[in-house]
């Protein structure tokens, strides 16, 4: 069966510090991968998606970036965090059947 | 691009009553419409989905209806229970885009 792992689960970072969130999927090949952000009590905002290694589409211009160095690995990064980057970050994957599955999420607090 | 609107933002019902959440989408090319349930502090979980070639789908107390002409789809929960309390999100995927655009969510409270 397919599983998705995302880490770290929680982190508190100062403004201006870098960020790296990592996500891996197991049990499938060539998945579509996604990063969503959810501000407190708000909806799911699509940040990036990838349909293959090295292929990244950005949905929202911001100080975040994403990379896909391997087929089942998706990384969200920032060189300098802003207070507005705080939120619940969700990695997700989808296979050929359309259904999108979410990781357990990473709570980021920028202080 | 696709835009999904979801209403209401909050909904309170008495236990045993029905709840209905509605979403509208803008891109007529969208052909896949999932619904997710998110409990506090947890990840969204798929509860039901429907494709554009189907008008209605039911799974026990949960059903989804799709009106392609009007470009809206709805989630129906019957005989609500306290454990149905959560935030529900609808989404749409325009065919071939691999992008899932979510509605803003509905906070459902089932009052015992």
């Amino acid at each position: 069966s397919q599983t998705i792992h995302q880490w770290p689960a929680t982190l508190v970072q100062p403004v201006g510090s870098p960020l790296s969130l990592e996500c891996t999927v197991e049990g499938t090949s060539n998945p579509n991968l996604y990063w969503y952000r959810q501000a407190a009590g708000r909806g799911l905002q699509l940040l990036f998606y990838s349909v293959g290694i090295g292929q990244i589409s950005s949905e929202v211009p911001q100080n975040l970036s994403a990379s896909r160095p391997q087929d089942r690995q998706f990384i969200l990064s920032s060189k300098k965090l802003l207070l507005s980057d705080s939120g619940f970050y969700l990695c997700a994957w989808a296979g050929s059947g359309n259904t999108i599955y979410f990781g357990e999420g990473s709570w980021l607090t920028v202080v | 691009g696709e835009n999904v609107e979801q209403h209401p933002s909050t909904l309170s019902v008495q236990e045993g009553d029905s709840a209905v959440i509605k979403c509208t989408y803008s891109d007529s090319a969208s052909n896949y419409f999932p619904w997710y349930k998110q409990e506090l502090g947890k990840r969204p979980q798929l509860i039901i989905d429907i494709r554009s070639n189907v008008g209605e789908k039911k799974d026990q107390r949960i059903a989804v209806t799709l009106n392609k002409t009007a470009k809206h789809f709805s989630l129906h929960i019957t005989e609500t229970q306290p454990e149905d309390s959560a935030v529900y999100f609808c989404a749409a995927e325009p065919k071939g885009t691999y992008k899932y655009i979510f509605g803003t969510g509905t906070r459902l409270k089932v009052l015992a």
Side-chain angles (χ1 to χ4, degrees):
Chain A
S1 64
Q2 300 87 1
T3 58
I4 179 169
H5 302 283
Q6 181 180 343
W7 68 93
T10 60
L11 63 166
V12 180
Q13 295 284 102
V15 169
S17 65
L19 171 73
S20 180
L21 300 178
E22 190 164 342
C23 172
T24 60
V25 181
E26 298 177 357
T28 187
S29 59
N30 196 31
N32 293 334
L33 297 173
Y34 305 84
W35 279 110
Y36 284 86
R37 177 171 62 197
Q38 187 174 30
R42 304 294 295 275
L44 297 161
Q45 180 187 32
L46 178 61
L47 301 176
F48 301 94
Y49 69 99
S50 170
V51 299
I53 296 175
Q55 301 179 59
I56 309 295
S57 296
S58 174
E59 289 299 297
V60 182
Q62 57 211 324
N63 67 320
L64 299 173
S65 63
S67 63
R68 184 171 179 172
Q70 301 181 43
D71 181 44
R72 292 170 290 171
Q73 183 184 26
F74 206 24
I75 298 171
L76 182 70
S77 303
S78 175
K79 292 182 178 179
K80 291 184 177 181
L81 285 168
L82 306 173
L83 286 174
S84 57
D85 291 324
S86 294
F88 189 42
Y89 288 80
L90 289 155
C91 181
W93 75 274
S96 58
N98 290 113
T99 304
I100 187 170
Y101 299 96
F102 289 92
E104 294 186 350
S106 298
W107 290 97
L108 170 64
T109 303
V110 183
V111 296
Chain B
E2 176 64 282
N3 182 52
V4 178
E5 295 187 357
Q6 183 172 348
H7 300 280
S9 57
T10 60
L11 178 61
S12 294
V13 299
Q14 289 294 133
E15 182 178 359
D17 288 350
S18 296
V20 181
I21 302 170
K22 298 181 179 179
C23 288
T24 59
Y25 60 99
S26 60
D27 191 336
S28 57
S30 291
N31 67 339
Y32 176 66
F33 308 93
W35 285 90
Y36 287 79
K37 176 183 180 182
Q38 186 180 31
E39 297 179 346
L40 188 63
K42 297 189 176 180
R43 68 179 122 183
Q45 300 267 24
L46 178 74
I47 56 172
I48 196 167
D49 57 10
I50 192 167
R51 300 182 190 278
S52 58
N53 60 345
V54 176
E56 183 175 359
K57 184 177 178 180
K58 189 174 181 180
D59 182 4
Q60 298 182 21
R61 296 187 297 108
I62 294 173
V64 56
T65 58
L66 171 64
N67 184 326
K68 288 189 294 181
T69 301
K71 290 191 285 187
H72 67 70
F73 55 112
S74 300
L75 177 70
H76 305 255
I77 306 174
T78 58
E79 301 173 18
T80 53
Q81 301 169 2
E83 53 264 39
D84 293 329
S85 295
V87 178
Y88 291 81
F89 291 98
C90 63
E93 185 212 0
K95 184 178 181 180
T97 66
Y98 310 108
K99 291 166 52 176
Y100 298 78
I101 305 302
F102 283 79
T104 50
T106 296
R107 184 173 299 278
L108 173 65
K109 296 181 182 178
V110 180
L111 307 173

